[in-house]
Structure formats: structure tokens, C-alpha cells
Amino acid sequence: MKITRFAPSPTGNLHIGGVRTALFNFVFSKQVGGLFLIRIEDTDRERSKKEYEEDIISGLEWLGISADKTPIRQSERSDVYQKAAEKLIDSGNAYWCDCSPEDLEAMREQQMAAGKKPMYDGRSRDLGLERSKNTVLRLATPIDGETIVKDLIRGDITFKNSELDDLILLRSDGTPTYHFCNVVDDYDQGITTVIRGEDHISNTPRQIHIQKALGYNELEYAHLPLVLGEDKKRLSKRHAATSLNAYKEMGFTKESIINALALLGWSTENEIFSMNELIKSFNLKNVQKGAAVFDLKRFNWVSSQHLAKLNDDAFIEAIHPFMEDEGIDDVAPNYKEILIAMRTSKTNLKEIAYATRPFFFELEEYDEKGVNKFLKGSLETLTFALETLSKISEWNETELDMALINVRDYFNLPIPKVNQPMRIALVGSTISPSLGLTLELFGKEKSLERIKKAIDFIS
Ligand code: GLU
């Protein structure tokens, strides 16, 4: 059975790049009837925080990416690492080294001066040193030959063993290092397939050396392309929000987040899909080797496609918390009708909720661009429209549309010259459903009042 894992270091909130890694691991394992596990790599005691760990796990759960077993925590497993270290010492695959930082620095300088790549030269390997408070435990790495990383995305990647130095496994205070824990845990958790970011490629041959020394089975690897910003630098807050929470708060549904993140480095013909469809069609072989560029416009497009798939009731339910945040109660007049009319006005729930405010609250201001472009110079049109509309007794979309045609015909104006100033009068901007419907939703009294206000504003 295939077993994958997501192994975050809880040193920050769940990053969308991390979500993509977790997602690909999850999807891959579900596709083959395997297991998906989580491991918290919290050996860096200073930077690791419980709140980040909770944020990571709850974020994944919200998305439906939950582990098949209780997550394990490296900070609680020191016995396991000590045992593995003893095994390596007993088998002669690890040795104690007492080189001081000064020794290592001098070694580095000499190597640099000789035009060589600086690396630990293995000088303590055959000294048979005993453990002391000044010794670290190092892996006796093969000196010759090659290590091949078989990557499901990139094919075979070959590393010369002579370029890899004897890795530290235990620090002088006895604590295990990152690579060591990572390898021991993959074995203990029964992991078969490691899917992680491309930035880990150079760690892989080192980890394979530890695996071999411990007599563990080989693993499968897949290194995912990095996620970059549009300037081709690693995605950071400078480019766009990076935490999952930020996207959740912006009103992207979990379906759209999963879909948009799956498209970061993976492509398929039908670009809009659900988690189940993704599990059916995902293929690691179609993951690109080159970096994936994060594009917020594409994210928004994916979101709008998912919102469009919801039926009205599901949409109303999904947007409810965002309407509450705006202080809009679901018993407000025309609540549902307004939401349905506005549901395609923006690409995420928060912005749609915000865009409905003019229907529920007094207008605070008019959009400046709209004022300059459409409102100024429309005094005559608005005055005539006010007069025409005030005569309407059946206040419904059909009657209102007819009245608007009359206004246009009277002045012989194109549609925007009448409709846009009216929209600004009603909702403060040009974002509103069809004008007849907008007027109907406001009702006669409110509509006339807002048109009057706009007339006062420009005159
Ligand atoms: N803890 C590592 C990280 O957060 C992941 C290591 C791995 O997946 O092997 O980058």
C-alpha cells in the first residue's frame, strides 16, 4: 500500500505552497487506495509554535485534507532517534567527531584557497573517538560511487557521493538533526512516497545515505515545482497573500482553493474540478518540472467558476458568514433576491457581500471615477428619469425597463449614458445588476430618494 505524508515545520501559519504539497500527497494516496499521514517536524524548538501547528492541522481539515492516523510530533520522539543513532554506531555507520567550530572554519578556508568545494573532510572518521560533550555524531557516508534519486516527476537525478560530506546526525548536546529525524520518521510511519517541494532535492541523496545505513527500504520521490510570484521570485507576501487563512477570509470557498492550488504546477484539460474529480484525474507525471507562477487573476477566475456552480440556496448559505461580517441580517427586505442578483458581481464571497452594502445601508459616497465619467453632465437625464419613474405605479422590472427606454429615446442617448448615472445614484458605483432589477429591488421610494440625492449632488 502507498503511504504519503505532509511534514510541515510549524514555524508559521499554513502557507498556500504547503497546502499544495499536502493536497498532492493526499490526492495521490487516495487515488491508489493508500494512506495520507501528517508529521509535525518541530525539532526547531525556538521557532516551532503550538499555535502554528494547530493552524496547519485545522486549515487542512477545513479543506478536507485530513490524515488517516493521528499526526506525530518529532519533539515527542527523542527515544526513537536515540535508538536509531545507537544502531548506526553499532553497525559502524556513524562515528563521533570532535572538530571545533574553529577547526571547521580553518578546513573551509584551506579548501577554498585550494579552489575546492568546502565540506567536512572526514578527518575524525577513523579516530575511534568516544562520545563526549564536545562530540557530534556523523554518518560515515560512502566516499565513491553515485546516489540516484528516482524522481517520479523529474526522472533519475544522479549525485556523486564524493560531493556529499559526512552529515551530522546528533549535535553535541545529543539532539537529533533534521535529516536524521526525517528519515527515521518516514520509516516508522511506513511512508512509501515522498512528495515535497523542489527545494528538498539536494537533501534527498543525503537522506538516502541515512536510509541505507539504517537498512531501510528505498522510497519513491516526487519533487514539486516551486511556487513563484509573477516576478519569478519565491512567492511571498510582497506578491499576494500567502496564508490559507487569508484566502479563507477573502471568501474563496474551499473547493476553489483546492482547484486553484492543484493547477499550480499541474495541468489538465478540464480546468474546473472538485476534489473527487481531482482524485480521479490527477497524475504526478503531468506535474511540470519548471516553477509554477502564482496568478491571483487565475485564482479569481477559478473562484468565479466554482461560485457559478452553486445553486442559489447553496450560494446564500456560503455567503451568510460574510454578510454577517458586513452587519447585514438575513431578514433584511429582499435579502435573498439582492444576493441572487449580485452573485456574479465579484469573484469571491467577501467582495460580493461588500458589494451588496448599498442595498442595505445608506450610501456613504459615490465612486469618484464614476462621478467624473457619468454623473457629472447627467443633470437633465436624471431629472427627466426621476419624473418618468415617479409616474410608474407597477414597480417591477418590466415596467421599469420600458420607462428607461423612454428616457433614452427622449434624449436619443446610448444605454450607458442613462444607465450608468442611474446606477451611481442608486448604488454609488457602476456595479449593480441590470438596472430595471436594481430599481425593483430598491423599491419605488428608495429609488426616487437616491436619484433626488444624486441630482442635489451634481447641481
Ligand atoms: N519539514 C520540511 C518542510 O517544512 C518538509 C520535509 C519533507 O517533506 O521531507 O519543508
Side-chain angles (χ1 to χ4, degrees):
M1 179 168 44
K2 302 260 188 202
I3 306 181
T4 64
R5 65 6 176 226
F6 177 51
S9 306
T11 54
N13 285 324
L14 183 53
H15 188 281
I16 50 168
V19 176
R20 188 202 55 173
T21 302
L23 175 66
F24 284 6
N25 275 287
F26 177 81
V27 166
F28 178 86
S29 68
K30 296 297 140 191
Q31 188 169 55
V32 294
L35 298 178
F36 166 74
L37 308 182
I38 291 178
R39 169 169 83 236
I40 302 297
E41 298 207 320
D42 57 351
T43 46
D44 183 342
R45 298 309 294 151
E46 259 166 43
R47 291 173 60 224
S48 298
K49 296 222 162 69
K50 195 85 191 152
E51 65 195 79
Y52 295 139
E53 180 187 318
E54 279 158 14
D55 180 77
I56 293 168
I57 293 182
S58 63
L60 292 177
E61 232 149 60
W62 177 68
L63 290 167
I65 304 177
S66 31
D68 293 308
K69 291 187 185 170
T70 312
I72 64 167
R73 229 176 259 122
Q74 289 186 328
S75 58
E76 293 167 356
R77 294 169 48 78
S78 42
D79 291 358
V80 180
Y81 309 127
Q82 297 307 325
K83 276 214 187 83
E86 274 158 33
K87 189 173 166 191
L88 287 175
I89 297 166
D90 292 347
S91 63
N93 281 305
Y95 62 92
W96 298 103
C97 162
D98 65 354
C99 287
S100 65
E102 295 75 31
D103 295 338
L104 294 172
E105 185 50 34
M107 189 188 306
R108 215 181 94 87
E109 275 169 17
Q110 271 180 15
Q111 287 165 332
M112 301 268 278
K116 287 190 195 154
K117 181 178 160 189
M119 58 193 272
Y120 176 69
D121 63 4
R123 62 179 63 175
S124 301
R125 199 189 260 225
D126 300 317
L127 299 182
L129 297 176
E130 293 287 322
R131 182 176 201 169
S132 79
K133 65 177 187 346
N134 296 323
T135 52
V136 296
L137 185 70
R138 286 186 185 269
L139 181 75
T141 308
I143 294 166
D144 306 314
E146 292 172 342
T147 298
I148 298 171
V149 176
K150 297 191 186 98
D151 191 290
L152 296 169
I153 298 170
R154 288 150 211 279
D156 288 359
I157 312 166
T158 306
F159 293 85
K160 278 198 186 119
N161 289 336
S162 59
E163 305 237 320
L164 304 166
D165 55 6
D166 289 352
L167 207 64
I168 298 178
L169 305 171
L170 297 181
R171 299 183 192 91
S172 55
D173 65 2
T175 56
T177 56
Y178 159 72
H179 290 297
F180 188 42
C181 299
N182 188 281
V183 170
V184 171
D185 288 340
D186 277 342
Y187 173 76
D188 260 22
Q189 289 189 290
I191 304 303
T192 59
T193 314
V194 171
I195 304 172
R196 61 185 173 191
E198 187 184 3
D199 46 337
H200 288 285
I201 289 186
S202 61
N203 295 336
T204 310
R206 297 168 177 281
Q207 296 179 349
I208 291 176
H209 282 155
I210 306 175
Q211 274 160 22
K212 284 195 174 151
L214 283 163
Y216 297 166
N217 283 341
E218 264 184 48
L219 303 180
E220 288 186 307
Y221 291 92
H223 288 94
L224 305 173
L226 292 182
V227 181
L228 306 182
E230 276 171 11
D231 57 359
K232 305 283 157 68
K233 300 227 170 78
R234 216 179 160 132
L235 185 71
S236 74
K237 284 189 188 140
R238 281 182 302 114
H239 303 105
T242 54
S243 75
L244 173 69
N245 286 335
Y247 287 86
K248 190 175 167 187
E249 280 160 20
M250 278 189 265
F252 290 100
T253 61
K254 52 189 168 198
E255 291 79 9
S256 53
I257 295 174
I258 287 167
N259 190 153
L261 292 181
L263 291 175
L264 274 181
W266 180 69
S267 50
T268 175
E269 225 160 78
N270 175 12
E271 291 198 298
I272 300 301
F273 42 78
S274 65
M275 179 76 104
N276 283 337
E277 286 161 344
L278 176 62
I279 290 172
K280 275 198 204 119
S281 60
F282 181 73
N283 190 339
L284 268 179
K285 297 226 153 46
N286 297 345
V287 173
Q288 73 198 37
K289 296 189 188 76
V293 176
F294 180 84
D295 176 2
L296 192 58
K297 282 196 247 34
R298 193 150 185 241
F299 213 108
N300 280 318
W301 175 77
V302 169
S303 172
S304 64
Q305 299 298 307
H306 276 275
L307 289 182
K309 280 180 151 194
L310 298 177
N311 66 35
D312 285 342
D313 286 338
F315 172 77
I316 304 278
E317 197 185 314
I319 202 167
H320 187 252
F322 296 91
M323 295 299 280
E324 269 187 341
D325 286 349
E326 294 296 344
I328 302 167
D329 203 323
D330 58 8
V331 296
N334 284 343
Y335 178 84
K336 200 172 162 181
E337 290 76 10
I338 291 168
L339 276 176
I340 292 168
M342 290 294 283
R343 58 176 287 178
T344 57
S345 63
K346 295 278 177 180
T347 54
N348 67 52
L349 296 169
K350 187 180 170 69
E351 287 182 8
I352 298 170
Y354 184 78
T356 67
R357 285 181 67 90
F359 288 91
F360 300 103
F361 300 112
E362 287 309 315
L363 275 185
E364 274 153 31
E365 57 186 1
Y366 298 117
D367 169 60
E368 206 185 300
K369 264 197 210 149
V371 169
N372 293 329
K373 194 162 172 201
F374 297 111
L375 206 54
K376 286 185 182 161
S378 298
L379 186 59
E380 235 189 326
T381 325
L382 285 181
T383 311
F384 185 72
L386 179 67
E387 220 183 282
T388 312
L389 295 180
S390 54
K391 287 181 202 139
I392 293 184
S393 51
E394 295 288 311
W395 195 262
N396 61 48
E397 195 177 351
T398 323
E399 291 294 320
L400 288 159
D401 280 341
M402 301 239 292
L404 290 169
I405 293 173
N406 289 340
V407 177
R408 284 207 308 269
D409 288 351
Y410 183 81
F411 290 106
N412 194 19
L413 285 172
I415 299 176
K417 287 271 182 205
V418 175
N419 288 21
Q420 299 299 55
M422 293 272 288
R423 282 208 165 84
I424 294 164
L426 292 163
V427 300
S429 72
T430 51
I431 302 160
S432 91
S434 81
L435 189 54
L437 179 59
T438 307
L439 286 161
E440 182 186 320
L441 290 170
F442 271 109
K444 186 169 182 178
E445 196 184 329
K446 192 103 234 150
S447 299
L448 299 183
E449 183 193 308
R450 289 210 175 171
I451 298 168
K452 264 187 215 134
K453 264 205 181 140
I455 293 173
D456 292 345
F457 178 79
I458 43 179
S459 44

